[in-house]
Amino acid sequence: MSESRDPEVMSGFGGEEGDGPRIEFYGGRGMSAFPIAFFIVWAIAQTALWRISDEGGLIAGMLIGLIAGMFFVKGNWTSYANTIFEGMTQPVAVTAIVAWIWAGMFAETLQVGGFVDGLVWLANAAGVGAALFPAATFVLAALLATGIGTGYGTTVAFVVLFFPAGVLLGANPVLMFGAILSGAIFGDNLAPVSDTTIVSAVTQDSDIGGVVASRFKYAIIAAALAFAGYVLASSFMPGVEIAGDAQEILVAESEPIGLVHLLSMAAVIGTAIAGRHIVEAISWGIVVAVGANLLLGLTPVSAIVSFNAPPDAPLAQPLAFLPFLDVVQDPDAVGVGGSIIDGASGFFALSILVLLIIAAAQIMIRGGAFQAILDWSLENVATNVRNAELTMVGSAALINAIITINTAAEVAIGPYISKIGERFNLNGYRRANILDAQTAALGYIFPWSGGVLVGYTSMQDLPDQYEWFDQSLIVNPVEVVPFVFHGWLLVAVFVVAAITGFGREYLIDRESQEVARV
């Protein structure tokens, strides 16, 4: 994820290191984990056991967990309630939501401009069929995420644009979703402008350039294996047949004009690489996309912003000549629509869910359960350098199961990773790489994680965009878990590296520029 590049903004989650528990619970510090544990059990039951992928249900589970948690608080509940507000106002959560909304507007504007149609034409002309499309999607998503530094934004754009193109060409929907998430992981892990890259470097007293250079070998090993995995899996996992001969007709009728929006994507990448804020970068992409749509006649103004007014509304009839205003007789059709509104509004429910999850994680931190787990592992597990690195991998994985925004997870666990690494004189680069790999990967694997949910949310709008796309093509977040190949492989690479010592460096071997200045 890359939404805010100010380390001061990103460092507020969880409070200062060494803060004592602000909330006392009956049953000890471990009971502060009750709300988030309740939610995880609820999410597993809803999505895995009953196969109900509904954000409203997840919101209900988190709310019930937070309410039930109050009954375990000793004394006044005011501190518990204040901690909920403290968690929900964390910048790391708000900046993620802002990125989702901007990316949603951008992707929807490209979609109404025929970009998917252009991708289908290009893939068909180049002979990239169903067997290669997931692997190609992984590579392209990785390139975009690395260029703009936001895995979340990449996930939104590729689910809206590349996912339907791949499914239409015969690729397996689950593999397509997994490939998109894998590409997002690659960019989040490796991009110099990614928040996870920045936080991992800052919390481990390392320079960003050295961190990126040192982690390339881990990322490329996982990426090469993931690419081969998608090619191989595509030969065993066929796609879904589109009703009748619609598939052949749609592919044959596809046109290349929509590929003009490659310029829109180039505007985003170029602006981001130039060091501009991701909101500014995506805004420029939206401006270019809207201009291309209107100048080339790809879509009317009403497809971007439209006002559907009732006939008795004042000035509705006199101003009906405006290209974005339409007078409708059906009361149910009254409202505001278009790609800008649709792209933004699709993430409102997910935004509420993420804010509530961050609030529950903050309660766990303020209540002391998080610190209790870390203290136990530091004293009982990290007994030598190999076990220390395995503990770092495991603790980073655990925090990502609890805090679904990967940047927030890094901010929370970063001081602990630094503490255990310094105990064994591990170089800042090594510590930063272990930290970032787990948070970048697992933030797009767990069914309740932000990366998976933002992709699933984007997918739910596709049946309204395409007549051939029905509900059966939407991928349940649980189904995609085994197929996020790059994420699992990246974690596996670091487990092997911890066991074998591959890439391990100590402070005496090579100091980062930041460490050297001290």
Side-chain angles (χ1 to χ4, degrees):
M1 183 183 73
S2 178
E3 288 76 46
S4 170
R5 296 172 189 166
D6 184 353
E8 294 299 322
V9 171
M10 297 184 291
S11 63
F13 187 77
E16 296 298 326
E17 185 181 7
D19 282 355
R22 296 183 179 180
I23 313 173
E24 292 188 8
F25 287 80
Y26 293 108
R29 294 189 294 176
M31 288 307 299
S32 64
F34 177 84
I36 197 71
F38 180 90
F39 167 74
I40 291 174
V41 172
W42 178 295
I44 292 173
Q46 177 185 313
T47 60
L49 301 182
W50 303 322
R51 297 301 175 100
I52 303 173
S53 301
D54 179 67
E55 290 164 351
L58 295 176
I59 290 173
M62 191 68 265
L63 285 170
I64 293 172
L66 287 168
I67 293 171
M70 289 186 183
F71 291 93
F72 297 98
V73 176
K74 289 183 178 181
N76 195 297
W77 291 358
T78 301
S79 60
Y80 184 95
N82 287 336
T83 302
I84 292 176
F85 281 95
E86 180 186 4
M88 294 183 72
T89 56
Q90 292 296 327
V92 289
V94 177
T95 49
I97 291 168
V98 170
W100 296 343
I101 292 173
W102 255 255
M105 292 188 293
F106 176 62
E108 285 291 334
T109 303
L110 265 62
Q111 187 274 326
V112 298
F115 188 52
V116 174
D117 201 39
L119 290 174
V120 172
W121 178 89
L122 179 62
N124 188 49
V128 180
L132 291 178
F133 205 90
T137 297
F138 165 57
V139 173
L140 293 174
L143 292 174
L144 177 62
T146 303
I148 66 176
T150 167
Y152 288 162
T154 298
T155 300
V156 172
F158 269 65
V159 166
V160 173
L161 303 171
F162 280 72
F163 182 83
V167 171
L168 184 60
L169 289 169
N172 184 279
V174 177
L175 281 182
M176 282 296 302
F177 193 19
I180 291 169
L181 295 174
S182 287
I185 291 168
F186 183 94
D188 246 4
N189 176 233
L190 202 60
V193 296
S194 167
D195 274 1
T196 59
T197 299
I198 296 170
V199 171
S200 67
V202 170
T203 58
Q204 305 309 310
D205 294 322
S206 301
D207 62 286
I208 294 173
V211 163
V212 172
S214 66
R215 74 178 44 158
F216 181 78
K217 57 180 175 290
Y218 308 112
I220 202 65
I221 291 172
L225 293 173
F227 180 87
Y230 286 116
V231 174
L232 182 63
S234 294
S235 63
F236 293 99
M237 298 175 63
V240 179
E241 290 292 333
I242 307 300
D245 57 354
Q247 189 169 16
E248 290 77 9
I249 294 175
L250 290 169
V251 172
E253 292 181 350
S254 60
E255 298 179 351
I257 185 63
L259 293 175
V260 68
H261 286 303
L262 289 173
L263 296 176
S264 305
M265 300 189 80
V268 175
I269 296 173
T271 309
I273 292 176
R276 312 303 296 181
H277 194 283
I278 192 61
V279 168
E280 180 181 350
I282 298 177
S283 295
W284 276 114
I286 293 172
V287 170
V288 174
V290 170
N293 284 346
L294 299 181
L295 291 176
L296 298 178
L298 299 177
T299 187
V301 175
S302 59
I304 300 170
V305 177
S306 65
F307 295 85
N308 296 327
D312 58 346
L315 298 181
Q317 297 290 354
L319 297 179
F321 64 90
L322 295 173
F324 50 81
L325 179 63
D326 189 21
V327 179
V328 296
Q329 301 297 325
D330 184 4
D332 294 334
V334 174
V336 181
S339 64
I340 299 297
I341 290 85
D342 294 341
S345 63
F347 298 98
F348 292 165
L350 177 60
S351 300
I352 294 172
L353 174 61
V354 168
L355 291 177
L356 292 172
I357 293 174
I358 295 294
Q362 190 76 352
I363 287 171
M364 182 177 175
I365 292 171
R366 294 304 188 203
F370 179 60
Q371 189 61 45
I373 295 171
L374 299 184
D375 290 344
W376 179 87
S377 62
L378 189 62
E379 296 299 325
N380 297 280
V381 181
T383 54
N384 56 51
V385 67
R386 177 187 298 175
N387 288 346
E389 290 193 340
L390 289 173
T391 301
M392 292 160 70
V393 171
S395 59
L398 174 63
I399 195 64
N400 272 273
I402 298 170
I403 303 175
T404 60
I405 301 297
N406 50 13
T407 306
E410 275 197 357
V411 172
I413 196 68
Y416 170 76
I417 297 294
S418 179
K419 182 178 180 180
I420 193 173
E422 289 174 353
R423 171 182 286 192
F424 292 92
N425 294 316
L426 289 171
N427 183 276
Y429 295 151
R430 178 73 165 186
R431 303 195 309 264
N433 291 337
I434 292 175
L435 170 62
D436 192 72
Q438 317 320 307
T439 52
L442 297 173
Y444 293 86
I445 290 180
F446 293 119
W448 55 86
S449 64
V452 176
L453 289 177
V454 75
Y456 172 74
T457 299
S458 302
M459 203 179 298
Q460 290 184 89
D461 293 331
L462 294 179
D464 296 331
Q465 304 293 337
Y466 307 99
E467 293 183 1
W468 55 269
F469 197 106
D470 58 42
Q471 292 292 330
S472 66
L473 297 176
I474 295 178
V475 180
N476 185 294
V478 173
E479 294 176 331
V480 76
V481 170
F483 300 99
V484 189
F485 293 156
H486 184 68
W488 288 118
L489 288 165
L490 191 59
V491 173
V493 164
F494 275 91
V495 170
V496 172
I499 295 173
T500 63
F502 171 69
R504 181 179 295 146
E505 289 185 311
Y506 297 93
L507 289 173
I508 59 174
D509 296 328
R510 177 177 64 167
E511 292 186 332
S512 69
Q513 293 176 20
E514 293 294 334
V515 172
R517 293 192 192 107
V518 179

